Amino acid sequence: MTWDWQVFLNDDGSGRTYLQWMFNAWGWTLAVAGCSWLLAVSIGALMGTLRTMQASPWLVRLATVWVEFFRNIPLLVQVFLWYFVVPKMFPAFQQVPGFLLVVFALGFFTSARIAEQVRAGIQALPVGQRYAGMALGFNTVQTYRYVILPMALRIILPPLTSESMNLLKNSSVAFAVSIAELTMFAMQAQEETSRGIEVYLAVTALYALSAFAVNRVFALIEKKAQIPGFIVAGGTGGGH
């Protein structure tokens, strides 16, 4: 077997090299993952919080329906639903770019998983945290905002790191609806150049580099956000 890494310097027929095409596809991958992450964390934190509000059973049911619906349907099926079905049922979505439809699918799917992590983080806190907020005169929203969520989010940083890395890798499903991200580049470049080994190794390296960067960023956040005696970054954890 011979290697031919110079294939990336060849013209792809549109005036750009395969290397330029690959980095452009990498940009699309990061864009899909980044936008989906913002959507997933925002909605996931909200739904996870609502699931712990036992005083408002309707809010708990609403959040539960959200979580169970989006986490029990395969991601690829959700992408197809958003791309092909939703625009047919709701004509307004026919004007929405395919990029955003994929972001909705990936973001909502991941939000259900993050919601469960947030719920678990909140329920892991001792009930004294709620009482502390009440003693300070906080209402329910203020208690969550200033007391409960800052602590719970620190607890879930390790699983949130893994979920963020998974979201980056799951962005590869965007190829199924012709979003020009890394997986689609790899498939097309391999067909055009017949150098599948080089192409897929390069794409694998970019995915690994991206996931490693996400891991390191969250490790830094975990270290900066740790509370001595409560949670120990990189250790076995602390006491409550």
Side-chain angles (χ1 to χ4, degrees):
M1 181 181 67
T2 59
W3 302 94
D4 183 16
W5 295 103
Q6 290 187 346
V7 66
F8 289 101
L9 302 180
N10 296 338
D11 193 302
D12 68 350
S14 64
R16 64 180 175 182
T17 64
Y18 283 100
L19 184 63
Q20 292 172 324
W21 183 7
M22 183 175 69
F23 280 114
N24 182 64
W26 190 22
W28 279 105
T29 291
L30 297 179
V32 168
C35 293
S36 300
W37 186 87
L38 292 174
L39 183 63
V41 170
S42 300
I43 298 179
L46 175 61
M47 293 301 169
T49 300
L50 293 181
R51 292 201 72 188
T52 65
M53 292 185 171
Q54 300 302 325
S56 303
W58 284 105
L59 291 178
V60 174
R61 293 189 187 101
L62 173 64
T64 300
V65 169
W66 178 279
V67 170
E68 296 303 326
F69 179 80
F70 284 105
R71 77 173 179 175
N72 289 324
I73 299 177
L75 176 56
L76 189 57
V77 173
Q78 294 192 39
V79 170
F80 287 148
L81 286 174
W82 275 99
Y83 198 82
F84 296 111
V85 178
V86 171
K88 295 291 185 181
M89 298 178 61
F90 304 97
F93 280 91
Q94 294 177 6
Q95 308 302 320
V96 177
F99 171 84
L100 288 181
L101 295 177
V102 171
V103 168
F104 290 152
L106 188 55
F108 291 160
F109 173 81
T110 308
S111 73
R113 300 168 62 87
I114 292 179
E116 286 298 89
Q117 295 171 6
V118 172
R119 180 177 68 88
I122 292 174
Q123 293 179 339
L125 294 173
V127 69
Q129 296 292 330
R130 294 179 185 269
Y131 295 153
M134 295 169 60
L136 291 172
F138 290 161
N139 58 31
T140 300
V141 174
Q142 290 173 325
T143 299
Y144 273 92
R145 166 65 179 84
Y146 296 109
V147 180
I148 296 177
L149 285 177
M151 303 290 282
L153 292 177
R154 287 172 167 87
I155 293 176
I156 69 169
L157 274 174
L160 185 58
T161 301
S162 297
E163 199 60 53
S164 299
M165 295 170 67
N166 285 336
L167 189 153
L168 176 65
K169 292 176 283 188
N170 285 341
S171 67
S172 62
V173 301
F175 87 91
V177 290
S178 301
I179 302 299
E181 47 74 63
L182 275 175
T183 302
M184 172 162 279
F185 157 77
M187 296 173 64
Q188 294 183 348
Q190 186 271 336
E191 290 181 0
E192 294 178 9
T193 64
S194 298
R195 307 301 305 187
I197 294 178
E198 292 87 341
V199 169
Y200 279 107
L201 283 177
V203 167
T204 298
L206 290 181
Y207 273 121
L209 177 62
S210 302
F212 180 76
V214 170
N215 179 281
R216 291 298 87 200
V217 168
F218 272 90
L220 179 61
I221 294 174
E222 185 178 351
K223 182 177 181 180
K224 294 294 184 182
Q226 65 177 301
I227 299 175
F230 179 77
I231 185 168
V232 181
T236 59
H240 293 317

